[in-house]
Amino acid sequence: MQLLARLPGLGPRSSRKAVLALLKRRNDLLLPLADALQQAIVKIAECPQCGNLDTVSPCSVCADPRRDASLIVVVEEVGDLWALERASVVSAHYHVLGGHLSPLDGIGPEQLNIAKLVTRAKSPDVKEILLALNATVEGQSTAHYISDLLQGTDVTVSRLAQGVPIGGELDYLDDGTLAAAFKARRKL
Ligand SMILES: [Zn+2]
């Protein structure tokens, strides 16, 4: 229970519930979970190229020849990569930073997977770096930092659009989102 409570999104209450469920369902939940965790320890590793997590190295995304090798989509965490893959909006390569710049928490460029991104950006195959970072202050300052770093290279640096979400009603949007949508308006 103490270990589970350390996981994000699981406080002491929900970890107690989870443990009770596991103990009650020994055969169909506890044993398969223990086995899956054991396998994860042995098999899952960080991809040396992009920072994704996979059972093969380089990861199945990096090794996929059907993907557009001219575009690298930069994300903060592996979860963001999974989100983009689930939405299947892009068939390109990725680069996982492992977080965002946060000087107050002691996270500078050296703590993130940035140096390798610059190396990858210099490859002749790569034409565009899309900074798909979170629309937070930290995410956007990380994007600016990387964009500055890539100034001297031949790649086009782009970022995700910001503004009105699909199905969003203007009345419900926060001021920041409305302002971003205004700034990013397009001709019809
Ligand atoms: Zn990879």
Side-chain angles (χ1 to χ4, degrees):
M1 279 190 268
Q2 285 163 0
L3 287 171
L4 281 179
R6 289 193 209 162
L7 294 174
L10 278 184
R13 250 181 95 95
S14 31
S15 72
R16 265 198 305 276
K17 271 181 153 174
V19 165
L20 281 173
L22 285 168
L23 293 174
K24 259 189 207 161
R25 297 173 59 186
R26 190 185 161 82
N27 287 325
D28 70 325
L29 215 52
L30 183 58
L31 289 172
L33 178 66
D35 187 42
L37 288 174
Q38 189 58 45
Q39 293 223 29
I41 294 169
V42 178
K43 288 188 183 164
I44 297 183
E46 203 171 274
C47 173
Q49 170 135 309
C50 73
N52 187 15
L53 295 171
D54 207 335
T55 53
V56 288
S57 178
C59 74
S60 46
V61 172
C62 285
D64 185 351
R66 289 161 303 178
R67 284 173 183 265
D68 179 2
S70 72
L71 172 62
I72 294 179
V73 182
V74 181
V75 292
E76 291 185 26
E77 302 286 357
V78 173
D80 303 329
L81 185 163
W82 290 347
L84 288 167
E85 285 293 290
R86 270 202 307 276
S88 52
V89 281
V90 66
S91 179
H93 286 258
Y94 291 94
H95 194 88
V96 183
L97 295 177
H100 50 240
L101 293 174
S102 180
L104 288 178
D105 302 310
I107 299 173
E110 306 78 36
Q111 277 71 46
L112 300 176
N113 190 14
I114 289 180
K116 207 178 291 160
L117 174 63
V118 177
T119 310
R120 291 181 75 190
K122 286 176 182 160
S123 151
D125 299 339
V126 178
K127 303 278 178 270
E128 182 180 354
I129 303 280
L130 167 56
L131 299 170
L133 304 184
N134 290 335
T136 56
V137 174
E138 294 88 354
Q140 293 312 299
S141 57
T142 307
H144 277 129
Y145 177 83
I146 294 174
S147 161
D148 285 348
L149 267 187
L150 296 173
Q151 278 304 319
T153 62
D154 294 332
V155 291
T156 305
V157 181
S158 54
R159 68 172 173 89
L160 292 180
Q162 293 177 343
V164 183
I166 302 291
E169 294 177 43
L170 294 194
D171 198 14
Y172 289 94
L173 295 183
D174 63 278
D175 298 351
T177 305
L178 270 177
F182 238 87
K183 242 172 104 180
R185 66 183 178 276
R186 282 183 311 180
K187 210 174 165 188
L188 282 178

